[in-house]
Amino acid sequence: MAWFKRYPSAIRWSVNQSFVRKLFLLVAIITGTEFCGGITKAQEAPVLSSIQPPFAQEPNQNSIPEEPIPLLSSPVTPAASSQIQPAQYLVDPATDYQSASFDPFDPLIDSDIGQNYSMMAYQSLASHYDDLATGPKQYADYAPEGFYPLDYQEAPGASLYTRLSPAPAISPDDFDRLVIRGPVPGSFMVPGTPTSIRLSGFVRMGANYDFQPVGTPDLFVTRTIPVPQTPGQNVNYSARPTRISLDTWTPTTHNDWVVHTFVQFDFLSGNPPAVGSSSNPRLRFAFVDYGYFRIGQDTTVFMDASVFPRTADFQGPNGIVNSRQGLGRITLPVSENVFVAAALEQPFSDITTNGLGTNVQDVPDFTTHLRYQRDLWHLQSAAIVRSIGYRPTGEEVDRRAGWGVNLTGSLLPWAILKGENPLRDTDPQPITRSRVLLQFAVGSGIGRYIQDTSGIGLDGAVTANGGFETLGIRSMTASYEHWWAERWMTNLTYSNVQVDSSNAMPGSSFAGSDYVATSLWYVPVRNASIGIEYLWGRRENQNGESGTANRIQTVFQYNF
């Protein structure tokens, strides 16, 4: 235990923000049983009245200070209920965690328990957060330094980024029986292990009124607008976008890398609300991060999820690049703010065969992007190269090359003009949180990667002589989010997609669409969002015919 002597004397950090810890302690108080092993008395320690962990903002001088909440080191039995013992913190949380000079991988630590404890304690070091590969934020999750990003297709009640701060360091006696805060807000460490877990998601309920028919009752998919349009109105209620997510983080001794796993489900694969109330879970994400690498189902590297606007319509813009699929990805830092990523991804030749043959996909799609990330703006340039195959009945495979470029970016214009930083300022003006989001994509044979053209055979088409050709496509999305006040936001989004004409396509085939959304959001409390939105869409066919639709969409969402 020579490594233990390196710590200063034990003191108590009287902060407890973990709901799970409170729940476990409540059960222990009621049942009087021991939690995760026997009861070990901890030494009394001074109480810290003020705590400022790394990356924390300076307190607002006008704010009312919160009283610290005592942290228990052991469960309470009837006999010991009158003498509640504190946890032993080995490092003053108000100081730099590196001051402990703690070596988490001391060769004297040979037991499994010792190694698990050392890896848990490693997460309390500020240096653990300096390198993305060794901290809880992965290279593939772009965010300003010191922050963790929010998932896309979210509502404004949830912050785009959450601050990171080191987990508290506790004594070995408390390690195997206490539930403590993990390195990412909302996470907790499993007692006796270095693994942190976070369960998150949201409940989302939408209601909409259609002035004209749309083929999707609870999502505004412009390609499903009938052409020609027919009379008809409809009302729909749906909670299918409700989402559940599970993260885990486990530090390792290999390069100090952290193993991060992420699984997420929603319920959009079930019956539409007009058919019944039951919905089936749909797998959105399932991947593992390890250092520079990510393997599993994730958004394509050709996509920039951070420019997805916050619309009340869960489907979102028709022209945005949006695809989740199996891939193997590597993300490398070129400098502090520049990253390059590349991946081999699931192929699929989404072509219209007209029954004359079958599509062939036997070569992975190659995607890559270069990203420049700052607090108030970012730019990303992505590219894709594909092999699209078609086998005429009884003949050899015919192949065509597909390619695409996707340029994206975002900025906070009012923050730049005013010289403020709403991410790091203690009391930012609401208008400085306003954002501009832009995307432009162009290519040939990339129809399945764009929202409105995915899955309808627009990568390519079979020609009259039995061959096939890829189809050119262009799409753009522009969105502006304006914060009028601390709790009120307006969003205005326009999106468009156009597919090149081809003699191989029948006149009723999709040629293009437009999408307009304007919404008003109210955030009554943190994590709660109430929105109302007007939607207008237009679909055009290859023969020039078109149809339009109008919808009023309302939504309530609560993040947990």
Side-chain angles (χ1 to χ4, degrees):
M1 300 295 287
W3 54 272
F4 182 74
K5 296 179 180 179
R6 301 175 185 175
Y7 285 104
S9 60
I11 58 175
R12 182 175 68 183
W13 185 9
S14 303
V15 172
N16 178 8
Q17 298 177 340
S18 171
F19 170 77
V20 177
R21 188 189 322 169
K22 294 177 183 177
L23 181 61
F24 285 163
L25 292 176
L26 179 61
V27 172
I29 292 172
I30 295 175
T31 61
T33 58
E34 296 181 351
F35 170 66
C36 296
I39 300 176
T40 305
K41 287 189 175 181
Q43 297 296 323
E44 289 288 351
V47 177
L48 297 177
S49 60
S50 176
I51 297 174
Q52 284 293 317
F55 305 119
Q57 296 178 339
E58 292 297 326
N60 190 336
Q61 295 181 356
N62 297 323
S63 63
I64 301 176
E66 298 182 357
E67 291 295 329
I69 304 174
L71 176 64
L72 305 184
S73 66
S74 60
V76 180
T77 63
S81 59
S82 60
Q83 296 181 351
I84 298 177
Q85 302 296 326
Q88 289 186 327
Y89 283 98
L90 304 179
V91 184
D92 184 344
T95 66
D96 183 355
Y97 282 76
Q98 298 180 79
S99 63
S101 301
F102 177 68
D103 182 0
F105 306 118
D106 192 306
L108 297 177
I109 305 175
D110 296 325
S111 67
D112 291 340
I113 295 178
Q115 290 187 7
N116 284 340
Y117 174 73
S118 70
M119 287 188 288
M120 181 281 299
Y122 180 54
Q123 298 181 75
S124 69
L125 301 176
S127 58
H128 176 62
Y129 296 77
D130 294 339
D131 186 350
L132 291 177
T134 66
K137 187 176 73 174
Q138 294 69 46
Y139 280 114
D141 294 327
Y142 300 124
E145 182 181 357
F147 292 85
Y148 201 85
L150 184 69
D151 193 8
Y152 77 108
Q153 286 181 300
E154 278 280 5
S159 300
L160 290 173
Y161 305 105
T162 54
R163 285 185 175 274
L164 293 171
S165 59
I170 59 174
S171 70
D173 292 336
D174 291 328
F175 168 62
D176 61 352
R177 62 184 178 183
L178 281 187
V179 178
I180 65 171
R181 176 178 61 81
V184 176
S187 67
F188 64 92
M189 288 191 186
V190 179
T193 77
T195 297
S196 296
I197 295 177
R198 180 177 70 169
L199 180 65
S200 61
F202 57 71
V203 175
R204 184 176 178 121
M205 180 66 187
N208 58 272
Y209 177 81
D210 290 328
F211 295 89
Q212 297 87 22
V214 179
T216 45
D218 55 349
L219 303 172
F220 197 68
V221 183
T222 51
R223 73 171 186 236
T224 67
I225 296 173
V227 178
Q229 182 60 279
T230 57
Q233 295 79 39
N234 203 11
V235 173
N236 291 286
Y237 291 79
S238 177
R240 296 197 304 158
T242 293
R243 181 183 298 174
I244 300 175
S245 307
L246 179 66
D247 288 91
T248 71
W249 295 268
T250 304
T252 71
T253 58
H254 179 69
N255 292 332
D256 297 351
W257 284 356
V258 172
V259 176
H260 169 241
T261 66
F262 182 64
V263 178
Q264 185 182 91
F265 292 89
D266 64 16
F267 301 90
L268 280 171
S269 67
N271 296 324
V275 176
S277 58
S278 62
S279 296
N280 299 323
R282 178 185 69 159
L283 180 65
R284 283 173 54 91
F285 295 96
F287 58 76
V288 177
D289 287 301
Y290 190 52
Y292 306 115
F293 306 98
R294 173 171 290 182
I295 298 175
Q297 179 167 307
D298 188 25
T299 54
T300 172
V301 171
F302 189 55
M303 174 185 180
D304 184 354
S306 57
V307 299
F308 203 105
R310 293 186 283 194
T311 57
D313 167 41
F314 188 74
Q315 175 73 5
N318 61 331
I320 202 160
V321 174
N322 184 21
S323 179
R324 294 181 300 273
Q325 57 195 10
L327 55 77
R329 168 177 174 165
I330 182 171
T331 307
L332 298 173
V334 178
S335 65
E336 182 179 357
N337 299 308
V338 179
F339 302 86
V340 61
L344 294 177
E345 306 191 15
Q346 169 68 40
F348 178 69
S349 300
D350 189 16
I351 60 178
T352 301
T353 64
N354 296 321
L356 301 176
T358 58
N359 53 359
V360 176
Q361 45 276 328
D362 54 2
V363 179
D365 292 352
F366 174 76
T367 56
T368 184
H369 70 235
L370 180 68
R371 185 180 181 99
Y372 186 77
Q373 177 75 51
R374 299 298 298 266
D375 281 9
L376 304 181
W377 59 279
H378 89 274
L379 291 173
Q380 180 172 303
S381 176
I384 183 172
V385 178
R386 320 181 52 209
S387 174
I388 304 172
Y390 166 69
R391 178 185 285 112
T393 303
E395 299 182 22
E396 295 296 322
V397 176
D398 192 8
R399 301 181 186 278
R400 297 288 184 273
W403 63 273
V405 175
N406 186 27
L407 305 176
T408 57
S410 70
L411 74 156
L412 281 65
W414 299 109
I416 295 174
L417 290 174
K418 290 177 173 289
E420 299 181 7
N421 188 340
L423 280 176
R424 305 182 189 277
D425 293 346
T426 57
D427 187 22
Q429 300 179 53
I431 194 175
T432 61
R433 298 161 58 193
S434 303
R435 299 190 301 160
V436 174
L437 310 174
L438 300 170
Q439 180 218 278
F440 175 75
V442 62
S444 180
I446 60 169
R448 82 176 188 88
Y449 281 87
I450 295 176
Q451 186 95 299
D452 223 20
T453 55
S454 178
I456 57 175
L458 293 180
D459 283 349
V462 177
T463 61
N465 61 6
F468 86 99
E469 61 185 17
T470 58
L471 298 174
I473 192 168
R474 298 164 302 283
S475 75
M476 63 84 61
T477 299
S479 182
Y480 176 60
E481 298 177 355
H482 186 86
W483 284 90
W484 301 96
E486 183 179 357
R487 301 182 186 276
W488 293 93
M489 188 199 81
T490 295
N491 173 273
L492 177 62
T493 298
Y494 171 74
S495 188
N496 169 272
V497 59
Q498 293 291 326
V499 179
D500 287 350
S501 61
S502 171
N503 293 330
M505 304 290 289
S508 60
S509 298
F510 179 91
S513 61
D514 297 282
Y515 176 100
V516 175
T518 179
S519 58
L520 177 65
W521 290 92
Y522 174 61
V523 181
V525 294
R526 182 181 178 184
N527 292 327
S529 307
I530 301 172
I532 183 169
E533 184 170 74
Y534 167 72
L535 293 152
W536 176 86
R538 174 179 174 272
R539 169 184 167 142
E540 183 178 357
N541 289 345
Q542 292 282 347
N543 58 14
E545 295 183 353
S546 64
T548 61
N550 296 266
R551 171 180 288 183
I552 297 295
Q553 175 77 53
T554 62
V555 66
F556 170 78
Q557 177 174 313
Y558 185 80
N559 290 68
F560 59 87

